[in-house]
Amino acid sequence: MERTSLDVTVTASNPSRTRSIAFVGLTIAIMAVSAWVTIPLGPVPFTLQMFAVTFAIVVLTPGQAMAAIAGYLLLGAVGVPVFSGMRGGIGVLAGPTGGFLWGYLFGVAAAVALLWLVRTRLGWGAKVVGRGVDPAAKALMTPGQRVLRFARQSGVEVLAGVLFTAIAYACGCVQYAAVAGVSVEAAFLVACAPFIVVDLCKIVAAVVCAQAVRAAVR
């Protein structure tokens, strides 16, 4: 029987769809594992979630990133222990720190929208791919030159991570203040301020790791 063009198109799209689903599933698993790495720091524990989510924003397509964060939150909402401290359930999302979690959804949406605009409208993605450096020349760079090169190549990705984090902070502060019965300023000092420097470091680390992964799978 002769194959139609529709059959060829569907067959060709299946590997890509399977790969996309695998990426989303793996990212959800990484988010869950990163949430289990918990260090108590007051009412809000220190986790690696900001690293994992920023990594997903940078390395996945916008659709994949949104599917991953939505799937992660849905699994947690129905009781799967994917949140910090191996907790799950709608009670966690409604609790004092739940605003940070559902804030991830809005933060990821804003961050991937920013990257999409810059990459598609300004051609930033193509410029980055073409901005290679000879390994020998790279080895001779000073630390300052390496930092400047990273800023030129990845500044927008770091900015996307900062945007995501700022939105998650805002949502987390509002819910923490409402549930704990404190002012938004007090909520920020307790739930956000101690983590700012650490989260900035996690954003940069996530972008560096994303670059390595992209280079490996390119």
Side-chain angles (χ1 to χ4, degrees):
M1 181 181 295
E2 184 179 354
R3 298 183 69 185
T4 66
S5 60
L6 178 60
D7 293 331
V8 174
T9 302
V10 172
T11 302
S13 66
N14 282 339
S16 177
R17 183 178 302 175
T18 301
R19 184 180 183 184
S20 180
I21 293 173
F23 281 165
V24 171
L26 179 60
T27 302
I28 292 174
I30 292 173
M31 290 178 185
V33 172
S34 68
W36 295 342
V37 180
T38 303
I39 300 175
L41 287 177
V44 181
F46 169 87
T47 71
L48 295 178
Q49 278 179 308
M50 290 295 186
F51 170 88
V53 179
T54 302
F55 176 84
I57 290 169
V58 175
V59 82
L60 299 180
T61 67
Q64 290 170 347
M66 289 302 300
I69 192 62
Y72 171 73
L73 294 175
L74 181 61
L75 286 175
V78 300
V80 180
V82 295
F83 297 147
S84 63
M86 300 189 73
R87 297 174 300 159
I90 199 69
V92 179
L93 292 172
T97 61
F100 291 97
L101 291 169
W102 57 260
Y104 288 174
L105 189 63
F106 298 108
V108 170
V112 297
L114 172 64
L115 287 181
W116 180 82
L117 286 172
V118 173
R119 287 168 173 170
T120 59
R121 301 302 182 186
L122 302 181
W124 174 81
K127 294 176 183 177
V128 171
V129 171
R131 203 180 291 162
V133 174
D134 181 73
K138 186 176 179 180
L140 296 175
M141 287 183 176
T142 65
Q145 290 173 327
R146 291 174 183 269
V147 170
L148 288 175
R149 177 173 178 268
F150 175 80
R152 286 195 299 267
Q153 284 193 319
S154 306
V156 175
E157 294 178 340
V158 172
L159 180 60
V162 172
L163 176 62
F164 151 72
T165 304
I167 293 174
Y169 276 8
C171 295
C173 278
V174 170
Q175 182 159 323
Y176 184 87
V179 175
V182 299
S183 67
V184 174
E185 293 80 4
F188 176 80
L189 292 175
V190 172
C192 298
F195 302 92
I196 292 176
V197 174
V198 176
D199 283 341
L200 286 174
C201 293
K202 284 187 280 188
I203 289 170
V204 173
V207 172
V208 171
C209 290
Q211 285 183 345
V213 170
R214 279 203 305 255
V217 300
R218 184 178 299 163

